[in-house]
Amino acid sequence: MKLGWGSILLWLGMLQPALAWEGAAVRVDRIQPLTAAQPASQNAGLFSERRFDASEKRLLNTGVSKEPTVIGNGEWRIEPTQSLPEPLLLIHHPYSARITVLTAPGGRPVTRSLFDADLDPQYSRHALVFPLPGDGPVYVKVEGARYPLHITVQSRAAHAADDLIHIRILMCAVGMVVGVSLAVLLFWAMLRDRVYLLYAASMLLQLLFVLCSYGEAYAVPVLRWLAILGAPGIWTIATLSSMSVVALWLDYAGLRRQVPRLAVAMRSLGLYLPGVLLLLLALPWPRNQEWFPDVANGVFLLTNVVALAALGVAWRRGSRHAAYAMIAWIPLLVITTWRALQLSRGAQVIDWVQYGLPLVLAFTAVVLALGLADRMLTFRRERDSAKEHAERDALTGVLNRGGIEYRLDWAVLEKRREGIALSLLFIDLDFFKKINDRHGHALGDACLRAVARAVSEEFQYGDQLGRLGGEEFVLVLAGADAEAARQIAERVRIKIERSCAVVEHIPVGVTASIGVAECLPEDSVASLIARADQAMYAAKRAGGNQVATQGLLHDVPSYAAEAPEGASG
């Protein structure tokens, strides 16, 4: 993780010299104070929606400056103090502002906003672009600005170079987020686990918010209709993305189980309350919607405080997925807040903050996707563990009847498909009932465990040895014909006789009768077990502690159809 952070910080640090602004110094003068139609206070900022007044000294910037100059609502006279080839007037981060530019007295004014569909397609939308006819003054009217606006004058070539870097960085982040989100959506389509759907919705809504804030969404044909909504559309997308993130954390980090009280607070603040705010925003009354950013941003801030507290507590309680969520989300939260505060203060947005937002969003998408992969792996291990416990005999640890029959079924199919030899040993302990009656069931259970251990340790058939019930075991021998299986059965018989003569310091003399049956082409699992069982009974009839090999079922002597009385426990 340290290497990843170091690489990100180094890459972001390289953006500052690469995107350094080069342009002409300009002189900016206010033409007239704000009129009654232009109220002296407008909203600015993400958290407090702090009011700013374009008549404040720090916003006047009357005089000459080579730095990006700050203006607010009102009318301005802007005059470059040096000549540039093909000069362009750039209005950075226009957001909801509507800009009118008059390049010469008596000329035709040009009005543009971020939401216009007919902006010059050769430029990106991170700034509104107005070509200048020469070095003379131009007149700018700003309406509806919610943030202080930065203006610069650059040559067309210089702006094109900066624009290309902007597009490359943004498209790199867009490609990563969209690619990972689509891959996760495919997992959701197959697994139907809603956490994958919530992930994709959260990441794509976050990306849509970034594209709308930068204006690039309104240049995409599929998304161009969002421009009709204007600034309220951006507010709605931001609120929906915040709600989807809260829903994601609740499922992704298991907060309902880990921190139930904080989870209830998150749902109330992050889901129900924003839903009510969106409903009020959609209503035709009140017409003035200026209240929404202040209230929504306050709710957003409080929700994130509660969410971070919930994730932190869940992390301390051992939730690895809460750790993934915090590692992914905190950097994005920090850089979003930093950028919003810079805009609200009228400060120049540092390049690595401006372009760090989409890049850190891509980082968030990748880290959360890794967390989903870890989550899938965890569930898979839990499922495999549960399946293994369901297939295992609790007493001996070998496969139970269902588990061994499942594996035997696969072995029979493999024999039919590949022609591989297959044999089955049916193992039954001799006079086991007498051991239980004489020494008790506890020692009888110890004898069963000793037999299972002896067979498994000798032949390493741990996954092919199963207990059918009572004192009956079966051993599946893939690749062994009847003769090879008979030799193995003899080794098993001797191993049991020697290893289980004394169990828990008590001489019990456990022995086993073993029936051997080779799988025939027409055999099923049931018929193969039945033939091995018949062979085992033949071994018992012969006196026990022996091996008998079985061919076809109709070849079994009639006396082997039943075990002699008392031969089996």
Side-chain angles (χ1 to χ4, degrees):
M1 186 60 65
K2 291 182 179 179
L3 178 61
W5 273 110
S7 301
I8 290 173
L9 291 176
L10 177 62
W11 203 88
L12 290 176
M14 294 172 62
L15 291 178
Q16 188 65 28
L19 297 174
W21 173 78
E22 295 182 1
V26 295
R27 180 181 180 88
V28 179
D29 296 286
R30 174 176 289 285
I31 296 177
Q32 62 182 27
L34 297 171
T35 65
Q38 299 167 335
S41 63
Q42 301 91 25
N43 288 334
L46 179 64
F47 295 105
S48 65
E49 285 293 325
R50 183 181 54 77
R51 311 297 177 182
F52 75 90
D53 187 342
S55 64
E56 295 177 13
K57 285 186 177 181
R58 70 176 189 84
L59 291 179
L60 274 174
N61 279 322
T62 300
V64 178
S65 173
K66 287 200 66 174
E67 296 299 323
T69 306
V70 178
I71 62 175
N73 286 335
E75 298 181 10
W76 304 83
R77 180 179 182 273
I78 299 173
E79 183 175 4
T81 60
Q82 64 187 89
S83 297
L84 289 176
E86 299 181 277
L88 302 175
L89 173 66
L90 307 174
I91 312 294
H92 299 275
H93 316 301
Y95 193 50
S96 60
R98 192 163 187 82
I99 313 297
T100 302
V101 174
L102 181 65
T103 57
R108 183 177 180 181
V110 177
T111 302
R112 289 176 182 165
S113 75
L114 190 66
F115 307 108
D116 293 344
D118 58 348
L119 295 183
D120 193 337
Q122 66 179 317
Y123 304 116
S124 71
R125 297 198 174 202
H126 75 290
L128 293 178
V129 180
F130 297 89
L132 300 180
D135 300 331
V138 296
Y139 303 89
V140 177
K141 181 179 180 181
V142 180
E143 300 172 287
R146 298 182 59 83
Y147 295 97
L149 301 179
H150 288 252
I151 65 169
T152 59
V153 176
Q154 281 187 286
S155 68
R156 183 177 181 277
H159 178 62
D162 287 349
D163 224 20
L164 184 59
I165 295 175
H166 167 82
I167 291 298
R168 285 174 174 172
I169 294 173
L170 195 59
M171 289 304 103
C172 175
V174 169
M176 292 180 65
V177 175
V178 171
V180 176
S181 299
L182 290 179
V184 171
L185 274 177
L186 291 177
F187 281 104
W188 170 77
M190 296 297 296
L191 302 176
R192 294 298 176 180
D193 186 344
R194 75 172 185 173
V195 72
Y196 297 102
L197 184 61
L198 288 172
Y199 168 90
S202 299
M203 292 301 100
L204 292 176
L205 281 171
Q206 288 287 332
L207 180 61
L208 183 59
F209 169 69
V210 170
L211 292 178
C212 288
S213 298
Y214 284 49
E216 304 303 337
Y218 310 120
V220 179
V222 178
L223 303 176
R224 190 170 292 163
W225 62 272
L226 292 171
I228 302 173
L229 304 176
I234 301 180
W235 303 340
T236 301
I237 293 170
T239 305
L240 290 175
S241 67
S242 177
M243 294 171 64
S244 66
V245 167
V246 170
L248 175 63
W249 293 158
L250 291 172
D251 280 15
Y252 186 96
L255 298 183
R256 293 184 182 89
R257 182 182 67 258
Q258 295 281 349
V259 284
R261 293 183 179 179
L262 288 173
V264 171
M266 283 181 61
R267 286 200 301 271
S268 300
L269 288 171
L271 294 177
Y272 305 146
L273 187 53
V276 173
L277 294 179
L278 286 179
L279 180 61
L280 293 176
L281 181 64
L283 295 176
W285 183 89
R287 294 186 61 185
N288 186 356
Q289 299 172 330
E290 298 297 321
W291 60 270
F292 185 88
D294 290 327
V295 177
N297 289 327
V299 172
F300 170 80
L301 178 60
L302 186 57
T303 300
N304 277 280
V305 171
V306 175
L308 289 175
L311 291 171
V313 173
W315 189 351
R316 289 189 59 185
R317 292 179 179 176
S319 173
R320 292 200 310 166
H321 302 110
Y324 275 107
M326 293 190 70
I327 292 171
W329 190 245
I330 289 178
L332 184 61
L333 196 59
V334 168
I335 204 164
T336 302
T337 305
W338 194 345
R339 178 177 180 271
L341 290 176
Q342 285 189 314
L343 287 171
S344 66
R345 291 187 302 108
Q348 180 184 0
V349 180
I350 304 172
D351 289 328
W352 70 265
V353 174
Q354 175 72 359
Y355 295 108
L357 177 58
L359 291 175
V360 171
L361 178 59
F363 167 80
T364 299
V366 171
V367 172
L368 291 181
L370 291 176
L372 285 177
D374 180 75
R375 184 175 184 270
M376 185 185 300
L377 183 60
T378 300
F379 287 167
R380 179 178 177 181
R381 288 171 178 167
E382 292 175 352
R383 181 205 63 191
D384 292 345
S385 177
K387 181 180 178 181
E388 182 176 358
H389 280 85
E391 291 184 342
R392 293 287 170 178
D393 176 55
L395 176 62
T396 62
V398 300
L399 295 169
N400 58 24
R401 187 183 191 99
I404 194 64
E405 286 183 349
Y406 177 78
R407 282 162 174 74
L408 184 56
D409 187 42
W410 274 103
V412 171
L413 291 175
E414 188 72 11
K415 172 183 171 52
R416 292 173 180 170
R417 183 170 57 249
E418 304 293 339
I420 300 174
L422 173 66
S423 296
L424 184 70
L425 306 188
F426 197 113
I427 306 168
D428 188 280
L429 305 189
D430 297 325
F431 307 106
F432 185 71
K433 186 175 184 299
K434 292 182 179 180
I435 296 176
N436 277 330
D437 293 342
R438 181 178 300 174
H439 302 287
H441 287 280
L443 185 63
D445 292 345
C447 291
L448 293 175
R449 288 192 292 268
V451 169
R453 184 167 55 252
V455 177
S456 298
E457 290 177 354
E458 177 70 12
F459 299 102
Q460 300 300 314
Y461 291 122
D463 284 339
Q464 302 298 329
L465 176 64
R467 181 185 175 205
L468 296 184
E471 67 275 19
E472 298 176 340
F473 296 83
V474 292
L475 182 62
V476 180
L477 302 175
D481 58 15
E483 179 57 28
R486 189 195 64 78
Q487 295 177 10
I488 293 174
E490 186 64 27
R491 290 168 57 191
V492 169
R493 184 193 65 78
I494 295 173
K495 177 69 175 180
I496 293 173
E497 183 180 16
R498 292 176 178 176
S499 300
C500 302
V502 177
V503 176
E504 294 188 354
H505 310 292
I506 297 176
V508 289
V510 174
T511 61
S513 298
I514 303 177
V516 180
E518 182 178 1
C519 183
L520 302 175
E522 64 273 17
D523 264 332
S524 63
V525 170
S527 64
L528 180 58
I529 292 177
R531 293 196 299 107
D533 185 28
Q534 294 290 351
M536 180 273 297
Y537 276 126
K540 283 188 176 294
R541 293 287 297 181
N545 194 22
Q546 295 190 30
V547 174
T549 303
Q550 173 63 19
L552 294 172
L553 190 58
H554 56 71
D555 291 336
V556 180
S558 59
Y559 65 81
E562 297 180 357
E565 183 179 354
S568 174

